[in-house]
């Protein structure tokens, strides 16, 4: 963008006003918006710096720097602006020649004026340097002005925003200049080395924490180090690691658990940045080993989890991490997961000690469980047991939670596991994931037994039952058949759960039937015959969430018969009537949305139309396009789009009376003959009769933007596909043959009345005449813009700042000033 003449004339006045003010603007975002505009300008005008194109900005910066009575928000803006103007070498020189750069970024200057205590000024100083530090001159200025010291002090600032910005700036300096250092001269390298040295000295002085009061500063240093190492190249990465390696090991030795995540972030950062360079730095491998052998169970377990989650492999540490993560399961059930581990193993002793606290051990067992699926997929040389043993361990854990005290489970472990909803939910999620592990088929009997047991228990939390259902479906995916006994047990259980007083349980139960229908369809098996009547009865459920889930389940249950083209029977006709009643009468949008999606699924699955389907679609389009719920209307338009695509692409089964005829694709009609034949005219007539055109025109003027946007795009598609063929043919009779006068919404009629051209008194117009008379393209562009889109300009911003300041100066204290700053 380039600044126009009016802005160039007004900007000096705005700068002068801001420089003379000792009060903030009533709208504190206007300065940020002005800075954004100036940033856009500096990036757009290539080869021209801001000081050169807008010299009034230099005057403003000089005035504010010397005026210590300015409001801190304006001082902050000036510092950010100074950094922006000095972001290029030419701009840097221009600002420095005015002798304002040294004073602007001199911390002592603001401290003497008593302004450094305001976080706005500190943030401005940081952001100003962040914008400036893009070239060697800026780095030299930063070092020679001794700014590294205050920047390091700001790492521990009382304001979290200031401390975070300071960390970002320090990381920016180290990472930006490491990439260009080899292109620069020796003096730049010397300045850069100076920053690195001061940074590492600061890090070593902060690590490890001397006591608990020093944990927060140490944590900040660790987070900063992880941020830098994540992007650092070999020279910088090696310098940092060499400097702080022993300090990091001391942090592990101190044993503050709050620092474990940050330590693992450092390790993972190095592993990630080093993945293409072979083995990781030896200091990091040694640090990881120390973490995996920490003297607290929670620490070494979380360290192992973070390492495996990173997806890295270390010949020394991967096997140890797997052992550590399986230890809680091993301690719980005493199975053969870790057959070679003795009771005297240090990890075993530390983990067993956690059984004294139920909450602590439950947290650790959940960490172990969440990593079990990944462990089960690891190479055999890493695993201490077959993957099937991990599955059976989870099954045993679920049985213990439900009250089955096996001989392998100690009294302490049983006490921790009994009725623990947290362990149950976690174990069920993990069991679902383990269905894809090697050897899972061999454990299927035990898995289904425990899942059916969980489904039968009416006292479990609804979430536990829901996760039991999800696990059941996952294991059904790998089941080669659906044994009769399993069918009977499942249906008996689900019939009871569908009548549960808790709506969440009823909802999960009907969802299960729909999901099971999809799984069995892939195996060419059918659901038990009792499932469909059960679902139809559940349509009367008083909870709308359940009704919606029932409708979705019915769609999945009936999908196989639709795909086979089976003729609808009386029961299906009754179901359709019930669904249309829900669409027209249900007070909740969830169920009405589900009805429209049901017909979308039916229409998509059916190879040919039937009178029942077409009549239903016509009714759905009529009802759905005037629904109060915008999502219902959007789904209705999706159904209209399917019908439209089917007609215009020549899908079989859509013709007169709805059956027994197909249309040629519209594009073929023009090439096959010299002009469009009656088939296209009949296709348009069919779309009108089915209510497609009517639904689209209604939705075009809908108050919900997504609805109007989709309708406009579909109407444009019809216009661009059909109307050119009719126009090329020069057949006006065909263009006017399809009368849509009876379906035009009132708003559309009024639009057409305002359209130049003769109109018949009864508004008998054709589809193409309507579509070409409406400005669909312009409407689509407007609807594509976000709902908060408003016109804004640089000039309007400058005018708002001027008027706001004028209003503010004539306003009594305490009276609010309303500013409309775009």
């Amino acid at each position: 963008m380039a600044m126009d003449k009016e802005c160039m004339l007004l900007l000096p006045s705005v700068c002068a006003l801001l420089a003379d003010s000792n009060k903030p603007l009533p709208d504190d975002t206007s300065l940020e918006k002005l800075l954004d505009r100036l940033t856009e300008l500096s990036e757009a005008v290539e080869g021209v710096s801001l000081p050169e194109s807008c010299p009034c900005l230099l005057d403003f910066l000089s005035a504010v720097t010397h005026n210590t009575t300015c409001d801190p928000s304006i001082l902050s803006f000036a510092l950010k602006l100074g950094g922006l103007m000095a972001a290029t070498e030419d701009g840097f020189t221009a600002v420095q020649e005015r002798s304002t750069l040294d004073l602007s970024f001199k911390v002592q200057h603001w401290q003497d004026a008593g302004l450094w205590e305001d976080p706005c000024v500190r943030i401005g100083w940081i952001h100003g340097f962040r914008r400036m530090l893009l070239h060697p001159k800026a780095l030299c200025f930063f070092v020679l002005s001794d700014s590294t010291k205050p920047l390091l002090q700001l790492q521990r600032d009382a304001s979290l925003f200031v401390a975070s910005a300071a960390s970002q700036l320090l990381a920016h300096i180290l990472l930006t200049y490491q990439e260009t250092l080899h292109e620069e001269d020796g003096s730049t390298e010397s300045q850069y080395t100076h920053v690195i040295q001061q940074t590492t000295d600061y890090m070593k002085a902060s690590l490890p924490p001397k006591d608990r009061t020093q944990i927060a500063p140490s944590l900040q240093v660790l987070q900063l180090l992880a941020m830098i190492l994540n992007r650092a190249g070999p020279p910088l990465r090696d310098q940092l690691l060499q400097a702080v390696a022993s300090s990091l090991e001391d942090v592990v030795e101190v044993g503050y658990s709050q620092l474990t995540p940050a330590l693992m972030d450092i390790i993972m950062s190095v592993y990630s940045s080093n993945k293409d360079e072979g083995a990781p730095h030896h200091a990091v491998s040694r640090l990881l080993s120390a973490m995996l052998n920490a003297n607290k169970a929670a620490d070494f377990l979380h360290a192992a989890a973070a390492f495996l989650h990173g997806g890295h492999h270390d010949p020394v540490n991967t096997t140890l991490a797997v052992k550590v993560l399986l230890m809680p399961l091993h301690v719980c059930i005493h199975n053969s997961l870790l057959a070679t581990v003795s009771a005297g193993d240090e990890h075993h002793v530390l983990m067993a000690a956690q059984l004294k606290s139920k909450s602590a051990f439950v947290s650790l067992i959940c960490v172990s469980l969440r990593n079990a699926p990944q462990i089960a997929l690891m190479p055999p040389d890493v695993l201490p047991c077959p993957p099937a043993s991990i599955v059976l361990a989870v099954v045993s854990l679920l049985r213990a939670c439900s009250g089955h005290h096996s001989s392998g489970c100690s009294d302490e472990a049983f006490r921790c596991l009994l009725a623990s909803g947290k362990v149950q939910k976690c174990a069920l999620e993990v069991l679902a994931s383990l269905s894809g592990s090697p050897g899972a088929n061999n454990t299927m009997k035990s898995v289904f037994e425990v899942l059916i047991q969980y489904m039968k228990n009416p006292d479990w939390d609804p979430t536990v039952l829901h996760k039991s259902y999800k696990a059941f479906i996952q294991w059904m995916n790998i089941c080669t058949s659906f044994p009769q006994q399993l069918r009977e047990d499942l249906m008996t259980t689900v019939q009871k759960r569908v009548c549960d007083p808790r709506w969440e349980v009823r909802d999960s139960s009907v969802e299960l039937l729909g999901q099971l229908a999809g799984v069995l369809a892939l195996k060419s098996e059918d659901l038990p015959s009792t499932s469909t009547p059960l679902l139809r009865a559940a349509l009367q459920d008083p909870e709308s969430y359940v009704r919606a889930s029932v409708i979705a389940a019915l769609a999945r249950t009936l999908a196989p018969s639709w795909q086979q083209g089976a003729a609808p029977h009386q029961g299906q006709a009754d179901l359709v009537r019930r669904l249309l009643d829900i669409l027209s009468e249900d007070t909740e949008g969830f169920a009405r949305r589900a009805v429209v999606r049901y017909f979308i699924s039916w229409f998509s699955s059916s190879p040919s139309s039937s009178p029942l389907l077409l009549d239903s679609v016509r009714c759905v389009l009529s009802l759905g396009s005037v629904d109060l719920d915008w999502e219902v209307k959007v789904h209705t338009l999706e159904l209209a789009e399917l019908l439209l695509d089917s007609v215009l692409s020549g899908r079989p089964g859509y013709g007169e009376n709805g059956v027994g005829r197909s249309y040629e694709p519209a594009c073929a009609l023009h090439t096959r003959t010299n002009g469009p034949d009656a088939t296209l005219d009949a296709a348009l007539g069919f779309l009108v009769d089915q209510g497609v055109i009517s639904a689209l025109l209604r939705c075009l003027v809908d108050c919900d933007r997504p609805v109007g946007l989709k309708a406009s795009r579909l109407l444009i598609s019809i216009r661009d596909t059909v109307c050119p063929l009719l126009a090329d043919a020069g057949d006006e009779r065909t263009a006017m043959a399809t009368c849509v006068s009876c379906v035009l919404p009132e708003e559309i009629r009024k639009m057409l009345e305002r359209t130049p051209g003769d109109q018949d008194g009864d508004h008998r117009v054709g589809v193409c005449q309507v579509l070409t008379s409406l400005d669909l393209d312009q409407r689509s562009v407007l609807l594509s813009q976000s709902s908060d889109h408003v016109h804004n300009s640089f000039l309007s911003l400058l005018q708002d700042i001027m008027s706001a300041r004028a209003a503010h100066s004539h306003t009594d204290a305490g009276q609010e000033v309303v500013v409309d700053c775009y």
Side-chain angles (χ1 to χ4, degrees):
M1 80 174 216
M3 191 182 300
D4 57 34
K5 184 177 180 181
E6 287 183 281
C7 292
M8 291 293 293
L9 293 174
L10 188 55
L11 184 60
S13 299
V14 170
C15 289
L17 183 148
L18 294 175
D20 290 341
S21 175
N22 60 0
K23 294 182 180 179
L25 287 174
D27 175 16
D28 59 2
T29 65
S30 55
L31 291 176
E32 290 299 325
K33 294 172 183 176
L34 178 57
L35 190 66
D36 290 342
R37 285 292 188 173
L38 293 172
T39 301
E40 293 172 9
L41 180 65
S42 68
E43 294 172 350
V45 184
E46 186 175 352
V48 179
S49 65
L50 271 181
E52 180 181 348
S53 59
C54 305
C56 62
L57 296 177
L58 281 172
D59 297 331
F60 165 75
L61 183 60
S62 178
V64 170
T65 302
H66 291 87
N67 180 10
T68 55
T69 64
C70 276
D71 183 80
S73 65
I74 295 176
L75 289 175
S76 181
F77 167 73
L79 288 168
K80 295 173 186 176
L81 178 62
L84 177 63
M85 290 193 291
T88 63
E89 295 196 12
D90 290 342
F92 180 88
T93 301
V95 177
Q96 200 173 38
E97 286 175 352
R98 293 289 294 267
S99 302
T100 57
L101 199 61
D102 292 334
L103 195 59
S104 296
F105 289 93
K106 185 179 181 181
V107 172
Q108 190 64 45
H109 172 65
W110 303 116
Q111 288 175 336
D112 293 343
L115 292 167
W116 190 249
E117 298 303 314
D118 194 299
C120 284
V121 176
R122 301 199 299 275
I123 278 285
W125 184 87
I126 293 169
H127 285 180
F129 262 127
R130 176 68 185 266
R131 292 172 181 272
M132 184 199 313
L133 282 162
L134 298 173
H135 51 84
K137 287 185 178 180
L139 178 63
C140 182
F141 169 73
F142 176 82
V143 174
L144 293 179
S145 62
D146 199 23
S147 296
T148 310
K149 183 178 179 180
L151 178 59
L152 292 172
Q153 292 171 343
L154 289 174
Q155 305 294 314
R156 301 182 181 182
D157 197 89
S159 167
L160 293 178
F161 295 103
V162 173
S164 175
S167 294
Q168 295 285 343
L169 174 58
L170 184 55
H172 169 77
I173 295 171
L174 296 177
L175 294 170
T176 298
Y177 288 94
Q178 74 158 352
E179 299 172 358
T180 59
L181 196 59
H182 63 280
E183 303 172 359
E184 312 300 344
D185 56 27
S187 102
T188 304
E189 183 174 358
S190 173
Q191 307 295 350
Y192 181 65
T193 303
H194 180 74
V195 175
I196 294 177
Q197 184 62 51
Q198 286 189 287
T199 301
T200 54
D201 289 345
Y202 162 75
M203 289 180 173
K204 287 189 290 185
S206 303
L207 299 174
K210 306 300 183 292
D211 51 52
R212 289 192 175 277
T213 62
Q214 297 298 311
I215 288 179
S218 295
L219 179 60
Q220 183 274 332
V221 170
L222 293 175
Q223 291 170 337
L224 170 64
L225 184 58
M227 183 196 312
I228 298 171
L229 289 175
N230 192 48
R231 291 172 50 200
L236 174 60
R237 184 180 64 217
D238 294 343
Q239 280 180 281
L240 292 174
L241 288 175
Q242 184 175 353
V244 301
S246 61
S247 298
L248 292 175
E249 292 183 24
D250 290 341
V251 173
V252 178
E253 201 62 35
V254 171
Y256 289 126
S257 298
Q258 300 96 315
L259 302 179
T260 297
L263 283 168
M264 288 309 301
D265 285 343
I266 290 173
I267 293 171
M268 292 301 97
S269 295
V270 176
Y271 270 90
S272 297
S273 64
N274 198 75
K275 60 185 177 182
D276 298 327
E277 301 174 25
H281 195 283
H282 63 88
V284 173
S285 181
R286 192 169 61 246
L287 178 63
L288 177 58
S289 295
M291 294 289 292
L292 295 176
N293 288 286
N295 56 11
K296 291 184 180 178
D299 290 350
F300 65 66
L301 198 67
H302 286 295
F307 178 62
L308 286 193
H309 182 71
H312 306 295
H313 181 67
D314 182 323
V316 175
N317 292 307
T318 302
T319 303
L320 179 57
V322 169
K323 169 202 163 185
V324 164
L325 284 168
L326 291 179
M327 187 62 70
L329 273 173
H330 177 76
V331 168
C332 263
I333 57 177
H334 288 284
N335 70 352
S336 58
L337 284 181
L338 301 172
T340 60
V341 172
S342 67
D345 180 89
E346 185 176 353
H347 290 103
H348 188 283
V349 171
L350 290 171
M351 191 62 66
Q354 301 301 306
L355 291 171
K356 297 176 182 177
S357 170
K358 178 175 180 177
S359 60
F361 189 77
V362 163
S363 296
L364 296 181
I365 194 69
C366 287
V367 173
S368 177
L369 284 169
R370 282 191 288 268
N371 287 274
Q374 182 179 354
I375 292 174
L377 296 175
M378 299 192 80
D381 61 322
V382 173
L383 282 175
C385 62
S389 297
I390 299 176
V391 177
L392 294 175
V394 176
V395 169
S396 298
L397 205 65
L398 285 168
R399 285 178 176 152
C401 290
S402 64
H404 179 71
H405 191 174
S406 65
S407 58
C409 185
S410 68
D411 291 340
E412 293 87 352
F414 183 73
R415 175 183 58 81
C416 292
L417 298 174
L418 183 60
S420 172
K422 185 175 181 179
V423 174
Q424 286 176 320
K425 295 168 190 175
C426 186
L428 288 166
E429 289 178 356
V430 168
L431 189 61
S433 300
L434 286 170
S435 61
S437 61
N441 286 330
N442 300 327
T443 65
M444 201 167 295
K445 183 175 182 296
S446 299
V447 169
F448 281 128
E449 283 178 357
V450 76
L451 290 177
I452 291 293
Q453 174 195 341
Y454 265 69
M455 294 178 196
K456 286 181 177 179
N457 192 330
D459 298 325
W460 290 140
D461 180 89
T463 307
V464 171
L465 288 169
H466 177 69
K467 293 184 182 297
S468 301
Y469 290 154
K470 288 185 69 174
F472 186 89
I473 291 298
Q474 285 295 102
W475 281 83
M476 276 300 303
N477 281 321
I478 67 166
C479 187
T480 54
S481 64
F482 196 10
Q484 184 62 32
Q485 187 59 50
L486 186 58
R487 287 171 180 263
E488 294 175 2
D489 290 344
L490 176 66
M491 291 310 301
T492 300
T493 302
V494 172
Q495 283 175 338
K496 294 178 181 179
R497 296 288 82 81
V498 169
C499 301
D500 194 282
R502 298 164 295 179
W503 74 264
E504 299 96 333
V505 174
R506 302 196 302 275
D507 188 58
S508 297
S509 300
V510 296
E511 279 185 349
L512 171 69
L513 291 176
Q515 293 166 349
L516 189 59
V519 172
L520 292 177
L522 296 175
K523 303 177 185 297
S524 301
E525 294 188 46
D526 297 324
L527 265 179
S529 57
T530 56
S531 61
T532 304
L534 189 63
L535 289 172
R536 289 180 179 175
L539 281 173
Q540 310 298 325
D541 196 280
E543 175 54 54
S544 62
Y545 288 106
V546 179
R547 295 195 297 274
S549 295
V550 170
I551 296 167
L554 281 167
R556 299 187 73 169
T557 302
L558 296 174
S561 64
W562 295 338
Q563 294 166 357
Q564 294 166 8
H569 47 74
Q570 184 59 42
Q572 192 163 345
D574 294 340
L575 175 60
V576 166
R577 282 192 291 273
R578 174 61 187 138
L579 293 177
L580 294 177
D581 287 342
I582 291 175
L583 182 58
S584 61
E585 300 171 3
D586 202 299
T587 58
E588 298 289 342
F590 300 106
R592 301 199 305 275
R593 294 172 204 163
V595 169
V596 182
R597 288 195 297 265
Y598 174 95
F599 286 101
I600 289 175
S601 178
W602 186 3
F603 192 92
S604 302
S605 302
S606 181
S608 62
S609 64
S610 67
L612 177 62
L613 175 57
L614 290 180
D615 289 343
S616 303
V617 167
R618 184 184 301 112
C619 189
V620 171
L621 293 174
S622 176
L623 294 170
S625 60
V626 295
D627 197 278
L628 296 178
D629 185 287
W630 74 270
E631 290 189 61
V632 172
K633 287 179 283 195
V634 168
H635 290 320
T636 301
L637 291 176
E638 291 170 2
L639 179 60
E641 184 176 15
L642 285 174
L643 185 58
L644 176 64
D645 289 345
S646 299
V647 170
L648 296 183
S649 64
R651 174 177 167 181
Y654 298 92
E656 296 174 1
N657 301 321
V659 292
R661 181 177 176 183
S662 65
Y663 294 113
E664 282 185 271
C667 58
L669 295 173
H670 190 55
T671 57
R672 188 174 59 81
T673 63
N674 293 329
D677 63 7
T679 304
L680 183 55
D681 188 56
L684 290 175
F686 174 72
L687 292 175
V688 172
D689 293 342
Q690 282 296 117
V692 173
I693 304 299
S694 175
L696 294 179
L697 291 174
R698 284 196 204 99
C699 292
L700 178 66
V701 292
D702 193 87
C703 60
D704 288 302
R705 188 173 65 89
V707 178
L709 178 60
K710 188 166 184 64
S712 68
R713 288 173 175 171
L714 291 176
L715 288 168
I716 290 173
S717 175
I718 298 175
R719 183 199 66 190
D720 294 347
T721 303
V722 175
C723 296
L725 303 182
L726 296 174
D728 289 348
D731 191 339
E732 295 300 325
R733 181 202 64 76
T734 307
M736 298 293 293
T738 306
C739 174
V740 294
S741 61
C742 58
V743 301
L744 288 178
E746 187 62 28
E747 296 92 334
I748 299 294
R749 295 192 185 209
K750 290 179 180 178
M751 288 182 194
L752 292 175
E753 288 173 359
R754 293 194 296 269
T755 303
D758 296 330
Q759 300 274 340
D760 292 338
D762 62 354
H763 297 288
R764 294 182 60 80
V765 291
V767 172
C768 289
Q769 185 176 351
V770 171
L771 299 185
T772 53
S773 299
L774 298 173
D775 194 354
L776 294 174
D777 296 300
Q778 179 63 22
R779 192 174 189 86
S780 182
V781 170
L782 292 174
L783 289 169
S784 298
Q785 296 170 345
S786 61
S787 57
D788 61 350
H789 174 80
V790 291
H791 176 71
N792 63 79
S793 67
F794 195 1
L795 180 62
S796 69
L797 172 61
L798 297 176
Q799 291 171 337
D800 280 343
I801 293 174
M802 293 293 292
S803 61
R805 173 61 64 205
H808 191 56
S809 63
H810 294 90
T811 302
D812 294 335
Q815 183 176 347
E816 181 182 5
V817 178
V818 178
V819 180
D820 180 19
C821 188
Y822 74 93

